[in-house]
Amino acid sequence: MQRARPERPWERVRNASEPERPAAKQQEREVMPRPADAPFLLACRNRPASHVPVWFMRQAGRSLPEYRAIRGTGSILDAVRDPGLATEVTLQPVRRYGVDAAILYSDIVVPVAAVGFGVDVVAGVGPVVERPFRDAADLDRLGAFDPEVHCPWVQETVRAVVDELGDTPLIGFAGAPFTVASYLVEGGPSRTLARTKALMLGDPKLWAQLLDRLAAIAAAALQAQVEAGAAAVQLFDSWAGTLSPDLYERAVLPASARVFAGLADLGVPAIHFGVTTGELLPLLAKAGAQVVGVDWRVPLDEARQRLGPDVAVQGNLDPAVCLAPWPAVEERARDVLARNGGRPGHIFNLGHGVLPETDPAVLERLVELVHAWEVGA
Ligand code: CP3
């Protein structure tokens, strides 16, 4: 039986021959009411907010005892198929820390696993691919992705989370084409991404086709999450920093730009994140994001300079700092806040995900510290 699908506003507005719509009509296109004045969303728009908003990458799961208590065993790919569980795990850090945004409990390989590429997540390892991507025939294993057909439970979780969150925005996310491709080509986590780069350089046509498929998948995943109520999205290109700027711009940026272009009509801000991307920061913005995530290797004031005044920034406390005694955490966090130089458009975060051994009490104090920071200082 064909599933009834909600109307997709971006399909309706894509017709280029249609005249520009007035602002009131644009409002009508919004699928869900959004807490537009939430500090996190204001900061994404580079506008002043009542306080510096803060959330933590990988805040869901990881270090929380209440997460371990309900998580059980088994792959995260099974856990996310249970909207009740995924909703609870998404909400836990919001309740405990009072962060300014929730991030969906899911993983970057959920869509490719859902279309049947043969991906599992192995405890202590990460995503593992049964038959890695090798040649053109493997493109057939990445067919058209329809979130309503392949992973309706993700949208169900988004709706349930948004119902519970009130004015706190939910961030939807997807893996960027390059980072997801790296898992499919390497077959699992890799330090060098040697096979990935060999494919990129050795068979540019096949590489472009692979990234094209993955861009379509990421765009569809994000569109579905926004339609279900996510108020912002983040594209994780975690390993993009392994590339030189010229290679990134030639072989990766066009695909990520297509993902952002696919979101343009939805009216939600987009964050673009990777680690060791100091040399890539302007290119991450150029791909089409309003916010660029900065890891701890580049001081925030320097990142600001590289990005210019129109781009909001997210970051950038070293996650390892959170394992140090509180006075050191406080000193480093204040340094991040001060380096922002009082500008609007700063979302406080870690430079990468929360380390599993982090004491939740430290993150609680960190949120208090950020919220107490005088805006404009
Ligand atoms: O860390 C990042 O760079 C963020 C992007 C990213 C995610 N998953 C997003 C995510 C990456 C690179 C992955 C791949 C992945 N998936 C890894 C890393 C492997 C490597 O190459 O080093 C791992 C270990 C997984 C499996 C996974 N994902 C687990 C076991 C969990 C739940 C518990 C945990 O350890 O966090 C996830 C959840 C996950 N992956 C979230 C996100 C944004 C959920 C939201 C959140 O925790 O805030």
Side-chain angles (χ1 to χ4, degrees):
M1 197 184 75
Q2 185 72 30
R3 266 178 151 272
R5 274 176 31 160
E7 191 187 0
R8 300 183 161 206
W10 54 89
E11 287 175 358
R12 181 157 43 90
V13 296
R14 262 200 195 138
N15 185 348
S17 63
E18 267 183 39
E20 279 267 310
R21 287 153 188 261
K25 288 276 182 195
Q26 301 237 351
Q27 286 284 319
E28 262 176 41
R29 273 198 255 146
E30 298 260 349
V31 188
M32 303 278 292
R34 296 179 205 289
D37 291 332
F40 167 76
L41 293 175
L42 289 172
C44 286
R45 300 272 179 224
N46 222 356
R47 286 166 51 196
S50 54
H51 62 256
V52 177
V54 49
W55 68 282
F56 303 114
M57 287 184 279
R58 309 296 288 270
Q59 66 189 11
R62 291 265 161 130
S63 62
L64 286 181
E66 57 266 41
Y67 166 70
R68 293 199 206 101
I70 62 161
R71 171 66 172 80
T73 52
S75 162
I76 181 177
L77 298 181
D78 294 325
V80 301
R81 295 173 76 113
D82 177 348
L85 177 64
T87 300
E88 179 57 25
V89 176
T90 303
L91 295 171
Q92 282 175 344
V94 182
R95 290 193 202 112
R96 158 120 29 176
Y97 302 130
V99 280
D100 292 273
I103 182 148
L104 185 66
Y105 180 67
S106 183
D107 192 74
I108 59 167
V109 297
V110 163
V112 283
V115 293
F117 196 83
V119 185
D120 202 358
V121 170
V122 175
V125 180
V128 172
V129 174
E130 209 178 291
R131 282 192 294 135
F133 185 93
R134 290 286 175 265
D135 52 37
D138 291 320
L139 288 170
D140 296 340
R141 296 160 59 204
L142 290 167
F145 170 59
D146 184 339
E148 287 307 315
V149 172
H150 293 109
C151 52
W153 55 85
V154 172
Q155 292 78 252
E156 206 178 307
T157 301
V158 171
R159 283 189 289 270
V161 167
V162 170
D163 270 355
E164 296 276 332
L165 274 174
D167 284 345
T168 305
L170 172 69
I171 305 168
F173 75 92
F178 171 73
T179 290
V180 175
S182 79
Y183 288 104
L184 302 190
V185 174
E186 304 290 337
S190 152
R191 283 169 58 88
T192 58
L193 303 191
R195 271 183 179 272
T196 310
K197 292 180 186 179
L199 176 65
M200 176 189 287
L201 295 167
D203 193 343
K205 187 168 163 247
L206 180 59
W207 173 256
Q209 287 173 319
L210 171 60
L211 258 62
D212 202 41
R213 295 278 168 113
L214 294 175
I217 288 174
L222 294 174
Q223 286 161 354
Q225 291 171 35
V226 171
E227 179 186 349
V233 297
Q234 177 156 322
L235 193 67
F236 281 99
D237 210 351
S238 300
W239 315 138
T242 59
L243 297 169
S244 62
D246 69 319
L247 203 51
Y248 175 83
E249 188 163 24
R250 176 153 54 95
V252 173
L253 187 147
S256 292
R258 277 199 296 283
V259 179
F260 291 114
L263 300 169
D265 288 334
L266 296 178
V268 300
I271 308 164
H272 200 178
F273 169 80
V275 286
T276 60
T277 51
E279 302 305 321
L280 303 182
L281 290 173
L283 294 173
L284 294 185
K286 187 179 168 190
Q290 291 72 49
V291 187
V292 170
V294 181
D295 86 358
W296 64 93
R297 294 168 182 90
V298 181
L300 204 62
D301 47 343
E302 172 65 27
R304 285 282 201 186
Q305 241 168 25
R306 294 183 190 186
L307 285 162
D310 298 332
V311 181
V313 292
Q314 176 172 282
N316 71 341
L317 186 70
D318 182 346
V321 165
C322 296
L323 274 61
W326 175 253
V329 182
E330 177 170 12
E331 189 265 325
R332 299 315 305 159
R334 288 188 185 279
D335 182 65
V336 168
L337 288 159
R339 282 179 192 278
N340 180 59
R343 285 165 284 219
H346 176 212
I347 298 150
F348 190 96
N349 205 317
L350 306 180
H352 199 180
V354 173
L355 295 171
E357 56 271 46
T358 307
D359 177 358
V362 170
L363 298 183
E364 276 170 44
R365 287 183 84 171
L366 201 43
V367 170
E368 273 173 40
L369 182 153
V370 174
H371 282 171
W373 185 261
E374 194 189 331
V375 286

